[in-house]
Amino acid sequence: MMLAKLLFYFFALLAVGSAVLMVTRRNIVHAAVFLVTTLLATAGIFLQLEAEFLFVVQLLVYAGGIMVLFVFVIMLVNLDIEMRAVRFNKQWTVAGALAFVLAMQVLTALWVGRKTFHLPAAPAALAERNTETVADALFSHFVLAFEVASILLLVAMIGAVVMGKRRAE
Amino acid sequence: MVKRGGNDEDPPEKRPGDESVPDASSGASNVLQFPTSLKKVEPEAAAEAAKPARRVPGSAPAREAPPAPAPFDNELVQRLRARFGDAIGEVTIDRKQVIVIVDASHVREIALACRDDEKFEMLVDVTAVDWPRRERRFDIVWNLYSLTKNERLRLKAHVTVGATVPSVTSVWVGANWPERECFDLFGIVFEGHPDLRRILLPEEWQGHPLRKDYDILKQDTEWVREHLGIESGQ
Amino acid sequence: MSAGNEAAGFGTARGVDTTVLGENEIILNMGPQHPSTHGVLRIKLRLDGERVVDSECIIGYLHRGVEKIAEHRSYPQFAPYVDRMDYVAAVSNGLGYCEAVEKLLGAEAPPRARVVRTILAELQRIASHLLWLGTHALDIGALTPIFYSMREREEILKIFEKYCGARLTTHAFRIGGLQYETYDTFEYDVKRFCEALAARIDEYETLLTENRIWVGRTKGVGVLSADDAIALGVTGPVLRASGVQWDLRKAQPYAAYEQYQFEVPTRENGDAYDRYLVRIAEMRQSRLIVLQAVEQIPEGPIMARIGKVLKPPPGEVYHSIEGPKGELGYYIVSDGTIQPYRVRVRPPSFFNLQAFHRMARGAMVADVVAIIGSIDIVLGEVDR
Amino acid sequence: MRTLLIPVLCAVVIVALLPLIAGYIVLVERKVMAHMQARLGPMRVGPHGLLQPIADALKLMLKEDVIPTNADRLIFWFAPVASVAAALVAYSAMPIGPAFQIADLNVGLLFIVAVSSLGIYGVVLGGWASNSHYSLLGAMRSAAQLVSYEVAAGLALVSVLLLAGSLSMKEIVQAQLDQGVWFVFYVPFGFFIYLVASIAETNRAPFDLPEADSEIVAGYMTEYSGFRWALYFLAEYANVIVVAGVATTLFFGGWLRPLTRYHDHFPGTHVELLDVVPAFAMIALALYCFRLAPRQPLRVQKRVMAAAGVKCVLFAGILFAALFGSDAVREGVHGAFWFLAKVGAYIYCFMWFRFTFPRYRFDQLMRLSWQFLIPLGLVNVIGVAVAIVLRERWDWNPFFSLVPTTIVTLGFAAWLTADKLELSGTDEDIAAESAAVLPGSGE
């Protein structure tokens, strides 16, 4: 169990640290790399939770698909100009105040509900064939939501094609 | 096929006594017909090509020393003279090649007439020769070729240093690079050229190497020092 | 940016405007050190993504002032220099130069010399086309044909080596005839090579001609219409691929070409694929010429009587031959001394390369290398 | 801790051996290339160039590591490592024989696909960090190519998953054993699509556009040298092995030997007739080495050649001895043999294609994927689904249920190639496209 804990803290620290670096980096390619690291670390935590399907989807879709396209676009941006651009530095105080309020809220909620704060025991049977479980849930119970989401994506895709076509003409 | 002695012929001239020999271009049985019009072989074109040969007055046999440039006249020259008058100077024939001296300032119009009316569709080359002792020291030479008639024609203009010559790039786009080369190596300015820059030498180079007063060992030492970081390229 | 030139009918190369770039546009410098610019050609490309918006060839990296050197050498002394212009077709260069000077002298090589010259020049054309085929295929990503074509080219170079001792810059001819008498098994070697060559060319064609990718990569790429080609002064296989059936060996025969039967292959579309087909067909025709010529090499002297010191009478001459790459012309002005007053070389590659700008418009980066390959340039000749 | 020991050992073996294996695959590739091109290939270092990979590796390690000015140093350093890491991690779910597998994930196949798709970061970031236009073009090409062909490859994999009913690599092989046939015979089009897509994904010719040497010098690797460059090279070959392993597992029955249903034994023993074939093949190879050994010009070469022969005898001995071991040993050793043999054959095909075909152009590459492979893959997947319904609802014979699918897919492919797949754009296309990109040309 020691190893599992170590791994969890490793992934957790990696995720949080990369996330912080991601927001603070000026070079957006670096920021993108740290975002990928965050996603990978989160995937590692999924794996520890034995949510193998979720882990793979995280890799395949977020890290392997979406972020590749992100990086692809970012590469084409003229970085020198971006790096020299003036940031919204004057908002530090507002952001700090908001962050403080949010932090206080979370802490208060934790403090108030500390008595009831227990994680339920992990269901033992879930680890077995969880891909099928996910598939069953998606295609039977949530089939309507699933189809609505896919239509939404289809519309977005057609829209993108139309917009891309217009430019070529 | 009967073997011919001459290793080449430049129509519109033809050696006398050669009349019995079919011209290579007029469709000997084993030879593809030449010249052609664009894209298609037309028999008429081939027949036409033989015509200018008959206009030619006789010249010396080939194996003797080549003749000195002699005055020359034919229908083409007459047409050009009729149209451009004094702009057409002396017309000579040297080693069976017709050379037309033209006035540099009218070159564009003459070139256009040569291309459209006389069917010299192709500009083979533009070059120059430097004669430093002459008053108009440069000869600009345009070598033309007619695919329709399988003939060559050479236009030549004498110009002084610093004079500009009209560019023929509007007549043949292919004149672009050779004119740039003339500018580069001789310093001849072609007026109306879309992009008259040095082409073979670096842009910052000083001097024009093919002029006779540019010694063969000479170079732009400034440039060499600056760009190559050495004292001399020799 | 080329609107002004469009009005005149053509987009003439005018240098790439690097100052104002549209969104997604980048400037790419190909060369002078690039694997497939065939020497030290530099091409400035203005790209929209991978598509070429504008292009400019920058040449001169190999400029050695050959024409200037000529004015300081005697006529025979200059002959070796011409071999170093189109160094993959040195024999053809030498042939053009020797014939031009002979014309200036009013002399003429004896029949035996002319036939041997024809044989060597045609072998050189095959060698040049073989080298082109290999490198062109390599540019398009076919790794294998170059090794096959080099294998055959090697045979030709061996014949050259046996004939004159040199393989590349041969200096095979002399003004007035031949440098050397042919060696004993010359005819046998040439015949054996030609007999093997037919099957070898079939082999290249099996690899490429109907290969779907090859056709896809070359068909419709670098299209040059016949009118454009003529206006640009393009000659040789590139012109013939555009549908103009013009070959100096037929139009204004030199050496011994009028004795032989051969065809001038042409194609209609003027794209890279047609240039490929034209050159392949030309190799077959050259093979036929060589076979005819080697069958009957006339006996007799190999040198004309031109005297020891060459002093052509004053005058000028323009003589051109059909080099492997197009019309290779020499414009020589004599002032009556032993040195030429001016030698102007009309290099085919120089003029053909000029058409690149026209062919490359709207092409992709990958097409650029296909187009350069299909023009078949040698920078030694372009830059002189 | 015991449970971790064997996987860790396997991982160490893979990481330690892979560079060597990749090096020798390069040597084999060069030899194959040479023999296809009427020449000899590496002959100098060792007999028949057998030590060439080691010399190459030494040279690469000693080479100066050049980092271009204005390169993004951090990412320049990180990119090749990312590439190799992704390639290596993919091995963790790859079963090399029934016994040798680091982790049998129940989503093994997806894991391999997902992790190897992460390798693209190495390429893209490396190309970007080099601060060179060639590299950037290579990176862009690579990203677009990989994203497109992953879709096609995914569809090909789905057709197998439908048949196998599992994502676990082991269970896919087990399904092929149970059904008694390699899936390549059930879904030939699935295999075809995967073959093409896997060549494209590993950036091999004729899809090697990201590193097309005649166009963009070396693509994303242009500015790399020495060991970093070697890492990219290692990643490429590691990826080749991964896709070959996936193809072997999914379409060629993984570690199963051919004719899995043929179980005749030698009389009196439990040794199966067909299981001795590998051992005899190895002995034949050994004899060949021994025959060549005396003909080597140098003494050291003779020795190395003889050593190679001895090594083959050793392998034959192991294969033969394994027949008399326990079932686990026998299956482990012979499974590994068959798996590696199939992977080798698949890689040989890669090489063969590379030396035969010219390179695609970028738009043709995209068209091939989006207009040919992906529609074909979709039709194929639907066909397989129909076949499974036929099999399960109406008890069709599994093989015949897939015949209509194959025919329909074949017809669809013919239709696509006849009408739609216009690789070379027509003249109007080109005119329209140049009009689109050339300002002023339409006026």
Side-chain angles (χ1 to χ4, degrees), chain C residues 110-117 178 181-182 187 297-302:
Chain C
R112 180 176 173 81
R114 290 211 306 272
V115 171
V116 173
R117 279 178 174 187
L178 299 177
E181 184 53 87
T182 57
E187 288 91 338
I297 303 179
E299 295 298 318
I302 57 166

Side-chain angles (χ1 to χ4, degrees), chain D residues 124-201:
Chain D
V124 171
L125 293 175
W128 174 82
S130 300
N131 189 34
S132 149
H133 279 166
Y134 290 127
S135 304
L136 189 66
L137 276 177
M140 277 157 59
R141 284 178 172 195
S142 196
Q145 178 175 336
L146 199 101
V147 169
S148 311
Y149 277 85
E150 238 171 34
V151 180
L155 285 171
L157 298 182
V158 168
S159 64
V160 170
L161 296 184
L162 287 176
L163 291 171
S166 171
L167 282 166
S168 152
M169 299 293 266
K170 266 194 174 160
E171 281 174 33
I172 291 171
V173 177
Q174 192 59 41
Q176 295 180 68
L177 182 64
D178 295 342
Q179 299 181 22
V181 66
W182 294 354
F183 285 150
V184 65
F185 298 115
Y186 274 168
V187 278
F189 277 96
F191 171 64
F192 169 75
I193 294 166
Y194 187 74
L195 177 68
V196 176
S198 62
I199 299 174
E201 276 192 56

